[in-house]
Amino acid sequence: MNTANPRQDHSSDLYSQIYVTTHGEPLSYAIHLVRDYVGIPRVTARSGLRELHDKISAVSTKLDELYLAAYTVQDWHTLTTIVTLWLYICPDPILCRKLVQRGVTSKALQLLGTAQAVDPCTRRRTLHLVSMLSRYEDEPGVKMSLRKGNLALKTFRRFPSDPRMRDFAIATVAHSVDVEIRDYDLATGWPETITSALADPFAAHDELRHAIPILIYFAHGRSSHEMEKLPGITAFFAALSRSYDITLRCLSMWTLVGIPSLFDNMPTSFVLTPERLPPHLRRTLEEYGMDRCDSILMERFMRKLSPILRDLVKYHDLYKFGTVMAEHLVLSQYVCRYKYLPKFPVKGLPYETWKHALPAAAKVLRERGDAAHLDMADILDLEFMISCSTDPNEKLSLARAVIARNPRHGFARMVFCLEAQDREEAIRVAEEGLELCRDASPYIRRQLLRHLAQDNTQKGWFLLLGASLSDVERRSAGASCLEAVARYAGMFISEAPPDAEYLVHVLDLYLVNMLILRGSALSENLSELQPYLDRREAAQNILSYTYNNERAEPRMTQAHTMIRREYSNGIKRYADVISRLDSLQADTAQPTSSLTRDIHAICWTNWWSSPKPSLTSIVRGEVICRCRSNGCRRTDPGPRMYHCSKCAQASAMVRRCSGCHNAWYCDTKCQRAHWEEHKKKCRSS
């Protein structure tokens, strides 16, 4: 401690009085005395924090003055006292944010940089304070303060044997990961440092939870080639896919995949060359049945279509043209949107292209008046809309009208699922189609199954990645969606021909979702997935001959390949870590109230219109770290905070509903605004 006389340094009277009184006394005595001097109530109880809300401005001003005076003379005893009092205030998120707004983050970082080699107690408590203040790095000026130096990283590396310092440093980096770790080159070696820390059997729950967002930040969006340079991270996420917690399993897959896209494996164009297949692949088609394979159906249709087109040019036979096109459109992939049809003769017909003849053919068919011809006319009109119209509402309106006229029109349901923005409605329409359209062609049935597998994947991942630790209902709903994926994708895989255009995509969906759904129930060598991997390899080889597809390897393929490559290694290295994390998660989880579950149930039907999970929402969300809303259990020294049932703000200011004791509110304004929803549950009603 610097023994310079503070009075000679022209310090404030308050600081001088505190210095004289606390000099040489234990830290606990200094904390008690300074707390009384600046007017801080007993903040170990919510009542004390509520009282502090009314005087936080005056208290902060006095603490700032004391800090400046003590820092000027490097009075570490008083500085540690001030840091400790700031720590007592931080458990309340509203009060903590007010400290951030008053520039406490800059002071803490300044102190942390100075205290690196001076005072261990001050250093540890200051890093603890920085880890709590960094929860609100979105406040103006905080990011700039954190960018002045990667002090958390430096402190962690300088004192790796101090478990408390490691805990606080990892929490700080997790809260400000996009600030502290700005690029890959800067952080070389940091991922390995984190994965090594995870293996510590004494690592606390919060340390484990805070390490995961850092690893997500490093791994998300990287190609398999880049991830080869980070084998420890890949092995960790492979092990995490065996967690007891389905949300963590989903998180591990999302980190490597993102949200699966409908067009990940879509072929670019069709080339009619099934005869080019090697004998073993051609034998695969023969075992399924050549007459039912897509490439064979397309080849035969093209041979049949040539004379039909000649008759259309020569005799204007729109009826024959329309019936042949309608029959084929329900048997195999779309025709008019591909570029392998013969060139259209300009002379003789008033149409720009073949597809522009579809409405005229539909009109001729519609004039026949019977249900079968009306269905064929609707198919041609829908196909023309898909090929030419850029207005999705126009396509949906026509599909709705056709379904209203004939609920068993499978092609209209397929078009609806393709174009609908409301993906929850698309799921309902597809499920009804499987039930009602029993006589639909295998191709139409497969398209409905594909949409159900894709949409349930997106819905299930959305629910799981947005579920908090205690949100049992939302997690259960997400798991049910993945069960639906396994069911619908399994049906598609069992029914599809080996050359089906979306077979590889659906197999990828099945593989990544089975890794999430089954978790530790899968064997360590993943033998249960081998038949599907063999089927995928054969399908990919056939497509490489049948389609002109030069796209890069899809993200889903890269993801389950990386997982399988590091699966055994990840189990060996991190099985104990994942087991401890699961145990700690189970101890922490608390079921949500029925009121909260009702709110979630309302939101689930609108999942498709909500913001999709992103790197920011995952790292900043509550799937793992809930510090921004309710503080860390281990690092927060104060009382538990409750959330307002209306605005979800956590604070000591929220009070329990006197009627039912199951809801909490910031004030009467929130309570009144929530009454219409709450009164059905409240006993006082």
Side-chain angles (χ1 to χ4, degrees), residues 129-399:
L129 177 63
V130 171
S131 72
M132 300 182 73
L133 297 173
S134 62
R135 296 177 293 179
Y136 306 105
E137 53 85 23
D138 57 315
E139 286 290 338
V142 176
K143 278 192 175 183
M144 187 59 64
S145 298
L146 292 170
R147 283 197 177 103
K148 288 180 180 179
N150 296 322
L151 294 175
L153 296 177
K154 295 175 182 177
T155 304
F156 175 74
R157 287 173 173 169
R158 189 168 182 178
F159 306 99
S161 60
D162 187 333
R164 299 274 294 180
M165 293 288 285
R166 184 183 66 191
D167 189 353
F168 301 146
I170 289 177
T172 301
V173 177
H175 293 158
S176 55
V177 65
D178 57 336
V179 176
E180 282 282 1
I181 306 174
R182 296 192 296 277
D183 57 65
Y184 180 72
D185 293 333
L186 177 67
T188 299
W190 179 243
E192 288 73 16
T193 305
I194 293 295
T195 52
S196 299
L198 286 171
D200 184 352
F202 299 104
H205 184 202
D206 285 329
E207 188 173 348
L208 296 177
R209 288 195 302 160
H210 285 129
I212 295 176
I214 302 173
L215 298 181
I216 291 173
Y217 181 82
F218 274 109
H220 182 68
R222 297 194 184 276
S223 66
S224 57
H225 176 70
E226 291 176 307
M227 289 300 292
E228 288 176 359
K229 302 176 183 178
L230 302 169
I233 294 182
T234 307
F236 173 78
F237 283 113
L240 192 62
S241 69
R242 293 178 64 85
S243 168
Y244 177 78
D245 186 345
I246 190 172
T247 295
L248 293 182
R249 301 200 298 268
C250 184
L251 183 64
S252 71
M253 206 59 59
W254 173 88
T255 301
L256 302 175
V257 179
I259 296 295
S261 168
L262 179 64
F263 302 103
D264 269 356
N265 292 46
M266 186 174 180
T268 54
S269 62
F270 193 84
V271 182
L272 302 176
T273 54
E275 67 280 356
R276 291 176 50 199
L277 292 175
H280 70 285
L281 295 179
R282 188 172 180 84
R283 191 160 49 249
T284 301
L285 296 182
E286 291 172 350
E287 290 173 356
Y288 179 83
M290 280 288 199
D291 292 343
R292 297 187 294 150
C293 291
D294 281 357
S295 55
I296 304 302
L297 289 173
M298 178 62 73
E299 186 180 22
R300 290 178 178 175
F301 168 72
M302 293 302 296
R303 287 200 300 264
K304 183 178 180 180
L305 183 61
S306 295
I308 300 298
L309 296 179
R310 286 197 299 269
D311 288 347
L312 176 61
V313 174
K314 188 174 181 179
Y315 304 112
H316 292 198
D317 193 346
L318 289 168
Y319 177 81
K320 193 172 184 180
F321 169 75
T323 53
V324 171
M325 293 295 290
E327 288 172 1
H328 177 73
L329 286 169
V330 299
L331 293 177
S332 186
Q333 61 189 4
Y334 307 128
V335 177
C336 296
R337 277 164 280 160
Y338 289 91
K339 299 181 180 179
Y340 50 75
L341 286 176
K343 290 185 178 180
F344 195 87
V346 177
K347 298 180 180 179
L349 289 175
Y351 314 120
E352 296 178 9
T353 63
W354 295 116
K355 62 187 175 186
H356 286 90
L358 292 175
K363 182 178 179 181
V364 171
L365 292 174
R366 207 176 296 279
E367 289 173 353
R368 297 297 178 102
D370 59 283
H373 283 90
L374 289 177
D375 286 344
M376 287 191 288
D378 288 334
I379 291 172
L380 298 183
D381 284 336
L382 286 165
E383 176 65 16
F384 177 74
M385 280 283 189
I386 296 172
S387 304
C388 300
S389 176
T390 58
D391 184 1
N393 293 326
E394 191 176 12
K395 304 173 193 178
L396 284 175
S397 296
L398 180 58

Side-chain angles (χ1 to χ4, degrees), residues 100 139 165 238 325 367 429 467 494 503 520 532 548 616 632:
V100 170
E139 286 290 338
M165 293 288 285
M325 293 295 290
E367 289 173 353
V429 168
S494 64
L503 179 57
S520 59
Y532 299 95
N548 179 22
T616 300
C632 301

